[in-house]
Amino acid sequence: MAAHPSPRGVALYFRKLGRRTQVALCQLPLFLIVSIIGLVTPLTWPTLLSSPAYVAGLALHVLLFVACFLTPWERLHSSAYLVIPVLDLLGIGLLRNGAAPLLPGLAILVVFPIIWLAASGMLVRTNLVLSAVGPFLIMLPSTVAKFPHFTAADITVLLLFPLTMLAVSLAIRFASVNMRGQQRELQEMGEELRKLLGESREREKLLMTILDATDVGIVAVDSNGNQLLANNMMRRWQQAAAPAGAGPSEGTEQHVFAQDKITPLPPDKRPLRRAMDGESFADYLVWIGEAPDQRAVSTAARPLMDDGGRLTGAVVVFSDVTGLVEAMAANQELVSNVSHEFRSPLNSIIGNIDLVLEDSDGLPESTVRRLAVVQRNSERLLDLVSDLTLEASSALTIHPKRTDISGLVETSIGSAQAQAERSAVALVADVPSPLWAYADPLRIGQALDNLVSNAIKYSPDGGTVTISATGTRKWVRLAVQDTGMGMAPEDAAKVFSRFFRAESAREAAIPGAGLGLSITKTILERHGGAIACASALGSGSTFTMTLPVESIPGS
Ligand code: ADP
């Protein structure tokens, strides 16, 4: 189908034409009609050729059309071309009065120059006067010729025709004023848009400069994963991490490994994928690239929403934390080595004291008491060293399998019973049996023991410790709640950090090293689960462990 040119397109095309062509085109319709009338005159109304006015009218139109081409309009005033429609009125007057009464209808041709004059938008008042006076003068001679035998119809025609032409002129004038107004508005809007576009380009440049100045990789993607924006740092990483042949946005996602540095992350666990799925996360540690250039990267993501709250993409930030991770690993290795070295002499001390105390009959009472103190503290030291070793070692391995959690809860309550009785704490379990989860029974038992023992330890005035559990199809949630001393919420947020001890515990002089919860957290994370703490000073604490029901790939 052929495309129809729009009125605006035609107007633009017309404006691009030269002045002469424009004037000639405006004159063309009238000239064509007059030419046809002129050509058929010898055949249809031969008598008209003897009318000087008629012939002069024809000749004037030919002259005017030629003048349209020959006049150097560019050099004249912009309204000079209006002389053509004004002279058209004269030509039509000559034609009409030369041809009357044979062709009185030729007067209607004035509509062409009148439209032209009105549409020009120039010399408005003169044109309005001309559009009424011109037709009046054209009609006048034939009416005067009937003097004094006018009929009412003659007078009506004499007045009505100029008035009609005036109305046509006014209507066109109003329409073109309206159009011009709209055009001006459009122009203003266009200018405003251009200004805004310029400003937004400036802002974009500023934003990119800021983004490029940061040492973190930032990428924005739409919900299909198409890259909308990436800063320099991000591009450098994409190049470094891209396997041969991978596209720029695939790069960082192709060589993404889990925390063990070797297991490739399944696609739905990769940062970009998670972000595109609408997840919002922070401090998600992954390894990017292959050894020896492998980098530890902490990632964070925020979803992008439109005004209707629909997900349109995401912004993902990648920051290189290799140095920090390596420093932490070195620190852990040092702690692990030192605690390992402590273990043998401590074992030797404890073994020898055990031997001495087993055969302590000949020893004075006070020496036995002191040795018992040495034995207790050596054992505490050994416990601490064991915790440190476990905390620092990557040997905290887990062997998860389908495990009944209710059984673990029962065992844990059994072993904490004596401690609870000593502290006048009641132990309550509210756990459905069986309750299956994908867990290492040894490690989760250890985590549970730690939470229950803490709950009792930090309830110095007695109380109740409740272990409850709920399960969904995917997750098992195990809560250990106490009615003890609790801690300030800002402390509760830090309890999983190594060596952290809440002020409440320190003030109450309850002994501890601040390692148990850090180990518990590691155990849960290695299961692909999580642990959270909610507490308020004086109102007890609740620790909630979350464990997967099924094996999680990549965890
Ligand atoms: P530790 O108990 O040896 O100090 P943990 O890592 O087990 O080390 O606990 C860290 C800190 O968290 C504790 O020192 C204590 O301040 C706080 N805490 C842990 N469990 C509780 C609890 N049930 N109630 C109040 N505070 C607790």
Side-chain angles (χ1 to χ4, degrees), residues 201-393:
R201 285 219 184 97
E202 280 300 307
R203 264 202 295 271
E204 197 181 315
K205 244 189 271 169
L206 179 69
L207 179 72
M208 275 323 287
T209 314
I210 294 171
L211 291 183
D212 285 342
T214 62
D215 61 352
V216 294
I218 300 170
V219 63
V221 286
D222 66 15
S223 48
N224 297 320
N226 300 318
Q227 190 170 297
L228 303 174
L229 177 150
N231 67 347
N232 268 346
M233 192 65 187
M234 190 71 211
R235 279 192 290 276
R236 230 171 286 154
W237 273 13
Q238 284 170 337
Q239 275 164 13
S249 64
E250 286 168 278
T252 44
E253 290 292 278
Q254 289 283 310
H255 277 74
V256 183
F257 300 93
Q259 298 210 0
D260 65 0
K261 302 186 184 184
I262 18 179
T263 318
L265 271 187
D268 62 331
K269 291 239 156 193
R270 295 176 189 167
L272 269 183
R273 179 78 266 161
R274 283 182 63 187
M276 274 152 54
D277 290 343
E279 262 189 75
S280 171
F281 54 86
D283 295 332
Y284 179 50
L285 190 83
V286 294
W287 287 85
I288 290 182
E290 303 265 20
D293 302 320
Q294 211 173 27
R295 312 295 296 168
V297 178
S298 171
T299 63
R302 289 281 174 281
L304 293 173
M305 304 281 189
D306 65 9
D307 290 344
R310 257 174 308 127
L311 183 72
T312 53
V315 175
V316 189
V317 178
F318 293 74
S319 54
D320 189 341
V321 289
T322 316
L324 188 68
V325 169
E326 279 172 358
M328 274 169 66
N331 175 18
Q332 287 199 336
E333 202 179 318
L334 177 75
V335 173
S336 169
N337 289 342
V338 170
S339 46
H340 186 78
E341 294 305 317
F342 277 7
R343 190 181 279 273
S344 315
L346 265 175
N347 274 329
S348 158
I349 292 169
I350 291 168
N352 281 297
I353 293 173
D354 283 351
L355 287 176
V356 173
L357 286 176
E358 264 172 33
D359 193 14
S360 60
D361 293 346
L363 293 176
E365 178 83 0
S366 62
T367 310
V368 172
R369 257 203 331 271
R370 288 206 173 109
L371 279 175
V373 172
V374 174
Q375 185 191 36
R376 237 187 3 260
N377 281 307
S378 305
E379 275 165 1
R380 244 188 91 196
L381 210 53
L382 187 63
D383 278 350
L384 186 61
V385 166
S386 305
D387 275 358
L388 273 175
T389 315
L390 198 61
E391 205 326 279
S393 78

Side-chain angles (χ1 to χ4, degrees), residues 33-363:
I33 292 175
V34 172
S35 304
I36 291 168
I37 294 171
L39 286 175
V40 299
T41 305
L43 306 172
T44 46
W45 312 285
T47 50
L48 289 184
L49 292 179
S50 54
S51 156
Y54 182 77
V55 175
L58 287 178
L60 182 55
H61 275 105
V62 174
L63 274 176
L64 285 174
F65 194 58
V66 173
C68 289
F69 286 102
L70 298 185
T71 314
W73 302 111
E74 297 81 1
R75 275 189 248 147
L76 302 177
H77 188 266
S78 62
S79 60
Y81 70 90
L82 291 183
V83 78
I84 301 281
V86 173
L87 288 176
D88 277 344
L89 291 175
L90 175 64
I92 293 165
L94 288 170
L95 267 185
R96 194 258 171 191
N97 289 302
L102 210 52
L103 290 175
L106 283 183
I108 197 65
L109 292 177
V110 293
V111 85
F112 289 103
I114 281 174
I115 290 177
W116 190 357
L117 287 170
S120 73
M122 286 187 261
L123 307 173
V124 179
R125 253 173 260 146
T126 317
N127 286 340
L128 279 177
V129 171
L130 269 177
S131 61
V133 172
F136 179 77
L137 291 178
I138 289 169
M139 301 304 279
L140 192 63
S142 55
T143 315
V144 171
K146 292 185 183 169
F147 184 78
H149 307 291
F150 299 132
T151 62
D154 292 332
I155 302 294
T156 312
V157 167
L158 183 65
L159 297 177
L160 203 60
F161 186 61
L163 282 177
T164 311
M165 288 306 126
L166 179 66
V168 168
S169 176
L170 274 171
I172 290 172
R173 173 79 197 132
F174 288 145
S176 66
V177 164
N178 199 9
M179 221 170 75
R180 257 167 250 245
Q182 280 177 354
Q183 257 173 10
R184 207 170 317 124
E185 257 172 46
L186 272 177
Q187 242 166 19
E188 279 168 13
M189 268 163 67
E191 260 156 40
E192 181 81 354
L193 274 177
R194 257 194 301 280
K195 206 174 117 206
L196 285 176
L197 196 72
E199 281 173 11
S200 108
R201 285 219 184 97
E202 280 300 307
R203 264 202 295 271
E204 197 181 315
K205 244 189 271 169
L206 179 69
L207 179 72
M208 275 323 287
T209 314
I210 294 171
L211 291 183
D212 285 342
T214 62
D215 61 352
V216 294
I218 300 170
V219 63
V221 286
D222 66 15
S223 48
N224 297 320
N226 300 318
Q227 190 170 297
L228 303 174
L229 177 150
N231 67 347
N232 268 346
M233 192 65 187
M234 190 71 211
R235 279 192 290 276
R236 230 171 286 154
W237 273 13
Q238 284 170 337
Q239 275 164 13
S249 64
E250 286 168 278
T252 44
E253 290 292 278
Q254 289 283 310
H255 277 74
V256 183
F257 300 93
Q259 298 210 0
D260 65 0
K261 302 186 184 184
I262 18 179
T263 318
L265 271 187
D268 62 331
K269 291 239 156 193
R270 295 176 189 167
L272 269 183
R273 179 78 266 161
R274 283 182 63 187
M276 274 152 54
D277 290 343
E279 262 189 75
S280 171
F281 54 86
D283 295 332
Y284 179 50
L285 190 83
V286 294
W287 287 85
I288 290 182
E290 303 265 20
D293 302 320
Q294 211 173 27
R295 312 295 296 168
V297 178
S298 171
T299 63
R302 289 281 174 281
L304 293 173
M305 304 281 189
D306 65 9
D307 290 344
R310 257 174 308 127
L311 183 72
T312 53
V315 175
V316 189
V317 178
F318 293 74
S319 54
D320 189 341
V321 289
T322 316
L324 188 68
V325 169
E326 279 172 358
M328 274 169 66
N331 175 18
Q332 287 199 336
E333 202 179 318
L334 177 75
V335 173
S336 169
N337 289 342
V338 170
S339 46
H340 186 78
E341 294 305 317
F342 277 7
R343 190 181 279 273
S344 315
L346 265 175
N347 274 329
S348 158
I349 292 169
I350 291 168
N352 281 297
I353 293 173
D354 283 351
L355 287 176
V356 173
L357 286 176
E358 264 172 33
D359 193 14
S360 60
D361 293 346
L363 293 176

Side-chain angles (χ1 to χ4, degrees), residues 454-455 457-458 482 487 495 500-502 505 512-517 541 543:
N454 271 355
K457 187 162 90 172
Y458 295 106
D482 65 63
M487 62 194 125
V495 281
F500 178 81
R501 306 214 63 225
L515 277 174
L517 286 179
S541 314
F543 286 84

